[in-house]
Amino acid sequence: MPTEPTEARLSLDTRAARNLATTTKTRPQMQAITSRWLLRMLPWVDVGGGTYRVNQRLTHRIRPGRVTVERAGADPRIVPETLTGIPALRGFGDAAVLAEIAGAFTVREVRAGDVVAEAGMPVAQTSVIAHGRLERVAEGPYGEPQFLGILAAGDPLGDEALSGDDPVWPCTYRATTACTLLFAPRDELRRITERSAALREHLAGYRAGLRKPVNRRGEAEVGISAGHTGEPVIDSSFVDYEQHPREYELSVAQTIMRVHTRVADLYNDPMNQIEEQLRLTIHEVRERQEWEMLHNPEFGLLHNTDYDQRTYTWSGPPTPDDLDDLISMRRKTRFLLAHPKAIAAFFRECNKRGLVPGSTEVNGHEVPAWRGIPIFPCGKLPISERRTTSILAMRIGEENQGVVGLYQTGIPEEYEPGLNVRFMGIDSKAVMSYLVSAYYSAAVLVPDAVGILEDVDIATPRS
């Protein structure tokens, strides 16, 4: 920019005047700060001993899990140790036998619309979906088809081939997309069972558990007499507990913050350098804390949600029907957690149907809602290469047998609840060090406290 000659000006130039003026400054800004709704909405339980034990009633019914399928060259293959996702193999630890069972699976390609298994027919194989989606269909009371749900990659079916005497398929499984299945013939599984005494003993225990009386949630039944008259003998029973309940140990996120003593001594007006460094460092630690509470394999909600509480979209994008299915899987759903792109995809589906999602006020913030349940954005929910993500639904609080956050208060040199800052000294280069530590975890008190709508398609369609 050319400078105007001094003799042509009638007053002091603004650039020269700035040398005598005070500059108004902002605090250091940070783009990575998010709303962190998960941390804000969870009720936090103070864990005095660093460990939180979740006691539950004894459960006899074993819920299915996921089986991991990986690519080995051109063909998919099962990771043997993940076969314990099949209910009949849950808790079985013989690696050699699991590897033999995994080797019995072969690949089968299925076209969209093909029937993989038909209701009432003998279960001739155990299968695992490597790719694609199947729908479960049963016949209604008047002969009409009833759609029971969707199965997708990693889901097993036909574990009765391992555990039953003469099992039949309870419903029809039909491919909604082109699928790749891995299946093991029942005869081959029987031969493996005959060669392994450990597997025979394990399956015998599993079958014995299936014969024990349970309530609708698979818990050991309590005998109750009702509707009687006169003086019959009343049933007697007791409530049994799990002998080895789940325990959650507090996890930690840590970093070392360094500040040169010259900076801390001389450059503290108008803002304290250590305080600003610490403020932004704590924000980064809290962001990682929320990420861990979703993704950590030990306690993260995405990994620890019960298989029975996972559902899939019927058509790909998240529709009002899909959210209704997700909400109906538990009582007192307190909030939904979704990636912002998933929320936008849900709004598009509402627009197609002429529906207007509602909103609700939470702590002074207006947030979108469905059926009166707030939908909070969370950019830490992953988006796959296929542009799919997940939506979480949660019931929260100990009094509701929901999801709770765990921390410990009163720790040495505590700066915030569950977070402390400890001075580590000054090194020979005059650099001060501070250890910043956050202690936390998350616990699911009963399986239906959290549910996931999976494979949510968020790709924007062409207009």
Side-chain angles (χ1 to χ4, degrees), residues 253 255 281-290 419 436 438:
T255 188
T281 300
I282 290 175
H283 272 300
E284 197 65 59
V285 169
R286 292 302 193 192
E287 292 290 336
R288 181 55 183 265
Q289 174 182 342
E290 187 176 57
L419 181 145
V436 182

Side-chain angles (χ1 to χ4, degrees), residues 198-357:
L199 181 57
R200 288 197 302 273
E201 181 180 355
H202 176 84
L203 292 177
Y206 174 73
R207 285 191 288 267
L210 292 178
R211 291 191 289 268
K212 293 180 179 179
V214 297
N215 62 18
R216 64 187 181 89
R217 293 294 186 179
E219 297 168 325
E221 188 177 58
V222 174
I224 297 177
S225 299
H228 51 272
T229 59
E231 299 177 350
V233 176
I234 298 175
D235 289 342
S236 62
S237 185
F238 66 96
V239 181
D240 205 353
Y241 305 139
E242 291 283 358
Q243 295 186 4
H244 304 286
R246 172 91 184 259
E247 290 187 347
Y248 295 85
E249 294 184 359
L250 293 184
S251 184
V252 62
Q254 293 179 307
T255 188
I256 296 175
M257 183 189 78
R258 293 193 291 266
V259 181
H260 199 285
T261 53
R262 179 184 296 176
V263 172
D265 291 343
L266 301 179
Y267 300 97
N268 286 319
D269 188 22
M271 299 176 196
N272 185 285
Q273 292 286 351
I274 293 180
E275 288 183 1
E276 293 304 316
Q277 286 282 306
L278 187 57
R279 179 178 66 87
L280 296 179
T281 300
I282 290 175
H283 272 300
E284 197 65 59
V285 169
R286 292 302 193 192
E287 292 290 336
R288 181 55 183 265
Q289 174 182 342
E290 187 176 57
W291 189 94
E292 289 283 327
M293 292 179 70
L294 289 169
H295 294 267
N296 189 286
E298 296 298 323
F299 58 85
L301 298 178
L302 291 173
H303 293 275
N304 287 271
T305 299
D306 192 83
Y307 177 91
D308 287 343
Q309 296 299 317
R310 297 173 184 266
T311 184
Y312 299 96
T313 60
W314 287 99
S315 59
T319 65
D321 297 334
D322 295 322
L323 288 196
D324 285 344
D325 286 344
L326 180 63
I327 293 169
S328 67
M329 296 173 71
R330 74 202 41 77
R331 58 184 172 84
K332 293 185 178 180
T333 299
R334 179 66 179 83
F335 64 86
L336 302 172
L337 200 67
H339 194 283
K341 292 186 179 296
I343 297 176
F346 173 67
F347 285 170
R348 287 196 295 270
E349 294 303 310
C350 290
N351 292 339
K352 291 178 182 178
R353 302 185 181 201
L355 301 175
V356 180

Side-chain angles (χ1 to χ4, degrees), residues 9-221:
R9 284 189 283 105
L10 301 178
S11 65
L12 182 66
D13 184 72
T14 56
R15 285 171 294 179
R18 285 184 59 190
N19 294 326
L20 302 182
T22 300
T23 302
T24 301
K25 293 174 277 291
T26 70
R27 304 176 75 184
Q29 306 298 302
M30 178 176 169
Q31 297 183 57
I33 296 177
T34 65
S35 53
R36 299 198 291 268
W37 279 110
L38 179 61
L39 300 188
R40 294 162 65 180
M41 293 303 298
L42 282 184
W44 290 85
V45 177
D46 191 357
V47 181
T51 302
Y52 186 75
R53 178 180 297 162
V54 179
N55 290 307
Q56 293 182 335
R57 281 181 62 179
L58 177 64
T59 301
H60 291 311
R61 183 184 301 161
I62 298 177
R63 297 179 177 88
R66 288 277 168 80
V67 177
T68 301
V69 179
E70 63 180 10
R71 288 282 175 179
D75 294 327
R77 72 175 185 87
I78 288 175
V79 178
E81 56 268 24
T82 66
L83 280 171
T84 53
I86 297 175
L89 296 177
R90 180 67 57 83
F92 184 67
D94 192 322
V97 176
L98 289 176
E100 190 175 1
I101 296 174
F105 284 82
T106 57
V107 179
R108 175 185 172 189
E109 300 292 340
V110 178
R111 295 175 299 180
D114 286 354
V115 173
V116 174
E118 191 169 351
M121 298 299 292
V123 179
Q125 72 275 336
T126 295
S127 304
V128 174
I129 303 173
H131 177 73
R133 290 157 62 99
L134 301 179
E135 63 180 3
R136 299 166 56 231
V137 184
E139 184 176 323
Y142 302 103
E144 78 284 5
Q146 290 184 337
F147 296 95
L148 304 180
I150 297 290
L151 300 179
D155 291 339
L157 59 149
D159 72 295
E160 297 90 348
L162 276 163
S163 59
D165 295 328
D166 294 304
V168 296
W169 292 106
C171 60
T172 298
Y173 294 82
R174 183 184 298 119
T176 59
T177 66
C179 295
T180 301
L181 299 179
L182 292 164
F183 69 96
R186 186 183 181 197
D187 292 341
E188 180 61 26
L189 295 175
R190 279 184 170 178
R191 282 191 286 269
I192 295 173
T193 303
E194 291 171 358
R195 292 194 297 267
S196 172
L199 181 57
R200 288 197 302 273
E201 181 180 355
H202 176 84
L203 292 177
Y206 174 73
R207 285 191 288 267
L210 292 178
R211 291 191 289 268
K212 293 180 179 179
V214 297
N215 62 18
R216 64 187 181 89
R217 293 294 186 179
E219 297 168 325
E221 188 177 58

